[in-house]
Amino acid sequence: PSFPAEKAVVCFGNMFIELPKAKTREMLRQDQEELDEEINKLRKELRVKVNRLYEAQGKPELKGFNLNPMSAEEMKLINRILEG
């Protein structure tokens, strides 16, 4: 099937819906922001739980465990530096 260039076909569950590309892009951006927030929340909770576990076992705190991943922008800059 052929779809107009300004439209996108999006799958919701078991249905395909034709939506404007701008609306689709905004929906995907919002979904990604929500997922990133949830991931960061879970990472923080995991750090606390692992530290509690190590403390309960009498082990020293893990070194480097509280590091944060680099953002996409930071990775782009690093790659530019490495490429020269």
Side-chain angles (χ1 to χ4, degrees):
S2 176
F3 298 101
E6 67 277 356
K7 298 281 185 174
V9 178
V10 183
C11 180
F12 290 102
N14 60 355
M15 296 184 309
F16 286 90
I17 299 173
E18 192 175 331
L19 295 172
K21 280 189 178 179
K23 175 70 174 168
T24 303
R25 189 175 293 117
E26 180 60 21
M27 287 170 47
L28 290 172
R29 187 193 61 74
Q30 286 178 346
D31 283 351
Q32 188 62 54
E33 282 181 9
E34 289 173 17
L35 290 170
D36 288 342
E37 287 175 18
E38 182 68 19
I39 288 168
N40 288 332
K41 179 181 156 213
L42 291 171
R43 279 184 180 142
K44 287 176 186 172
E45 290 173 2
L46 178 62
R47 288 178 184 140
V48 170
K49 289 176 182 177
V50 168
N51 282 333
R52 276 195 211 137
L53 175 63
Y54 269 59
E55 186 180 314
Q57 293 174 340
K59 295 180 181 177
E61 187 175 309
L62 281 176
K63 302 288 184 222
F65 192 64
N66 289 319
L67 298 175
N68 292 317
M70 287 195 285
S71 69
E73 188 61 32
E74 290 169 325
M75 283 301 298
K76 285 180 191 174
L77 292 172
I78 294 292
N79 286 331
R80 266 193 227 141
I81 291 169
L82 293 175
E83 290 171 0

